[in-house]
Each structure stands twice: as structure tokens, then as C-alpha cells.
Amino acid sequence: MIPGTFDYHRPTGLAEAVALLASLDTDARVIAGGHSLIPMMKLRLAAPTHLIDLAGIGELKGVKMDGDTLVIGAMTTQHDLILNDLVAAHAPILKEAALLIADPQVRYMGTVGGNVANGDPGNDMPALMMALDGQYVLSGPKGARTVAARAYYNGPYDTAARPGEILAAIRVKAPAAGHGYAYEKLKRKVGDYATAASAVVLTVSGGKIATCAIALTNVADTPLNAAEAAAAVIGTALDKASLAKAAAAAESIASPAADARGSVQYRKKMAGVMTARALARAFARAAA
Ligand SMILES: Cc1cc2nc3c(=O)[nH]c(=O)nc-3n(C[C@H](O)[C@H](O)[C@H](O)COP(=O)(O)OP(=O)(O)OC[C@H]3O[C@@H](n4cnc5c(N)ncnc54)[C@H](O)[C@@H]3O)c2cc1C
């Protein structure tokens, strides 16, 4: 199908984009890689009257360090993440997960900012940012503010962003060197969204898990911070009993819809299975 008509704007600076968004009617939308928004427009599920393209804004692109914090510009593509040395060195789970998103064509265009700002519970990056305790930097008519990824998602396509705000960057404090990590994503085929997926970031000290964060993708209306599952393994050497307890805790918070990917029961079960697999792989990777 063909999208409805809209006016196209291409600002070259973030302040200009924010001002433009404030000056236009409420049906104006920003567009990043377009790989979620354009399909929605073609299906007429979205009909923006104005599109503000962020592609010309250089300050929104790239990854840098600010002390011990990775600062990922919202317009950094998933492909850029995969190739970035800072990401590989400090938050390799982002590279591992980006490689599981769709296919190279989508990853060349799709941005990290679009992926997390969209509020689609099927997107992979939000759970990653929750597990890493990422902070979203939003720029709006009243200035900039920061919202934790763990507090950003209210419901499907419903986020803590206020009208007129544009996501400028994501700040991720680099986990300790030698940390363990894994993103386990069950999907029906290459290029599919997750049936269920689990992100784990942990540290190990003296053979036992010292810190752990777990977040789940596509098993509820929002990505889920599985705090109880993480607490179940802290202080353990990931023995069978604590692993089972963590998997059960992840399962218990999952409330997926039945769809072509499986029944409610199956997808709940898979939330636990993915969590157990991610924990085992992260633990094996971590330096004791
Ligand atoms: C075939 C296919 C398979 C896919 N499979 C997966 C998958 O397995 N996993 C996955 O995670 N994703 C998947 N995607 C989605 C893909 O990763 C999208 O590119 C991504 O989710 C959205 O990023 P975008 O840059 O394309 O955003 P756009 O489509 O441009 O925008 C998406 C939404 O976010 C808003 N937005 C964008 N940038 C900002 C910003 N900086 N500030 C505020 N709002 C903003 C837009 O207004 C829009 O509402 C798939 C897409 C396709 C087409």
C-alpha cells in the first residue's frame, strides 16, 4: 500500500529538529531509519502529516566514551553498533544482540534510537538497555532530561517520552571488565522478531555471581526487567537449583499474547528457557 501524504523536513541540527517538532501539529513525527515507521505508514496504521527526518543531524550519530560511560547517538545504526570497537570492548552484548536483529539490509538503516524509542515490545534493544541500566537522553522544548530505560516503557508504543521530545542519545555505564553477558533469542527464522528473548549481564567474584541484571523481550506489552530472576542467582555459583529458580521467576512475570509464534503457555515457558540459557552462557564467559 501507499502511505498517505505528508510534508517532509530535513533539519541539520537537533535544536532545529526540536523547534520544528514544536511548531508543527501533533501529527508530526520524526523518522530515523524508517524500518518500523514506513511499514506502519504503508499499512495506514500511522498517518503523520509531517515527517522530520533525523538523518541529516550529525550530532546524533556515533558512539563515544564520557568517562566510563558509553554514549550512543540515537541515529547510530544497528550496523554501526556491530562494527564499533568501543561497543565491542565495553558492552559486547549490544553487538551480540544487534547481529540477531532482522537482516543486514534492515540493520544498515535501522537505528538504535528508533529501536528503543518506538515502544514496540518486539524490538530487541530495549531489554538490552534495561539489562545494562541504560539512560535515555531526551531533548524537548523545555530542554534535556534523562529517563532510565527501566522506567521508559508504559505499554505498547506508549513510553515516558513527552510530546515534542526527541531521543538524542543513550548512556550506558560500561559494566566491569571481565563481566559476563549473553542475549538468547528464540525466533522462528532469520529476520524474525523474538518468540521470547532474555538479556543477561553479570559479574562474578570468587566463583560466585556478584551482580546480575536480566531483561526480557517480547513476552509482555513492554520489555520486562526480571529483577526477581536476577536476585535468585546473586551469591550463587549458578547451581542447578538457583538456575531453575531464576527461570521460574522469569516465566512467572511473562504475560505474552498467543500469536503465530506460539501459545501463551509456550512463550511463557520460553522466557524461562531463554533466561536459563543466557545465564549459563554469561556465567561461563565471566572472569572469576
Ligand atoms: C523485516 C524487518 C524485520 C525486523 N526485525 C526486527 C527484529 O528482529 N528485532 C528488532 O529489534 N527490530 C526489528 N525490526 C525493526 C528495525 O530494527 C527498526 O529499524 C527499528 O525498530 C526502528 O528503527 P528505525 O531507525 O528504523 O526507526 P523508524 O522506523 O524511523 O521510527 C520508529 C519510531 O520511533 C520514532 N523515533 C525514531 N527515532 C526517534 C528518536 N531519535 N527520538 C524519538 N522518536 C524516534 C519514530 O517517530 C517512529 O515512531 C525489523 C524491521 C523489519 C522491516
Side-chain angles (χ1 to χ4, degrees):
M1 274 172 58
I2 299 169
T5 55
F6 54 85
D7 288 336
Y8 177 80
H9 309 264
R10 196 176 166 95
T12 53
L14 178 59
E16 187 190 346
V18 168
L20 200 52
L21 195 53
S23 71
L24 297 170
D25 62 57
T26 50
D27 288 331
R29 291 273 280 272
V30 299
I31 183 163
H35 272 53
S36 289
L37 184 53
I38 290 176
M40 301 268 276
M41 288 168 62
K42 285 183 161 186
L43 292 168
R44 303 275 175 133
L45 294 172
T49 46
H50 296 266
L51 276 187
I52 301 170
D53 192 346
L54 303 180
I57 306 180
E59 67 198 277
L60 296 181
K61 293 176 189 167
V63 181
K64 60 182 183 193
M65 291 302 286
D66 176 11
D68 61 358
T69 299
L70 270 174
V71 183
I72 303 168
M75 287 300 290
T76 306
T77 64
Q78 288 142 13
H79 177 73
D80 294 336
L81 268 197
I82 291 166
L83 297 186
N84 190 275
D85 290 341
L86 291 173
V87 169
H90 298 290
I93 192 170
L94 293 177
K95 175 177 177 174
E96 177 163 296
L99 280 163
L100 297 172
I101 291 179
D103 49 49
Q105 285 96 325
V106 173
R107 299 197 293 256
Y108 285 136
M109 294 301 294
T111 65
V112 183
N115 197 291
V116 302
N118 199 12
D120 181 343
N123 283 355
D124 290 293
M125 285 288 152
L128 275 291
M129 298 309 174
M130 280 185 166
L132 290 163
D133 198 12
Q135 308 289 315
Y136 297 164
V137 183
L138 300 162
S139 254
K142 292 185 180 159
R145 68 186 181 110
T146 300
V147 179
R150 291 175 187 172
Y152 190 72
Y153 300 97
N154 300 327
Y157 304 99
D158 177 10
T159 69
R162 295 181 188 137
E165 285 185 326
I166 295 176
L167 177 71
I170 301 148
R171 296 177 64 86
V172 172
K173 187 165 183 267
H179 71 278
Y181 64 91
Y183 189 57
E184 283 287 339
K185 176 177 177 179
L186 177 67
K187 52 185 178 173
R188 296 170 302 174
K189 59 180 176 63
V190 170
D192 195 16
Y193 289 88
T195 301
S198 182
V200 170
V201 178
L202 54 76
T203 57
V204 173
S205 173
K208 294 196 169 155
I209 296 177
T211 63
C212 181
I214 303 175
L216 309 176
T217 298
N218 216 15
V219 288
D221 281 354
T222 63
L224 298 174
N225 179 25
E228 212 180 298
V233 296
I234 291 175
T236 77
L238 205 64
D239 54 278
K240 257 185 164 173
S242 53
L243 195 55
K245 208 169 154 194
E251 241 182 80
S252 74
I253 59 167
S255 56
D259 64 10
R261 296 182 180 86
S263 65
V264 169
Q265 206 184 6
Y266 173 69
R267 296 184 66 196
K268 267 175 92 72
K269 190 78 196 162
M270 289 307 106
V273 171
M274 292 304 111
T275 297
R277 285 186 192 169
L279 275 168
R281 212 151 54 80
F283 188 68
R285 264 174 174 163

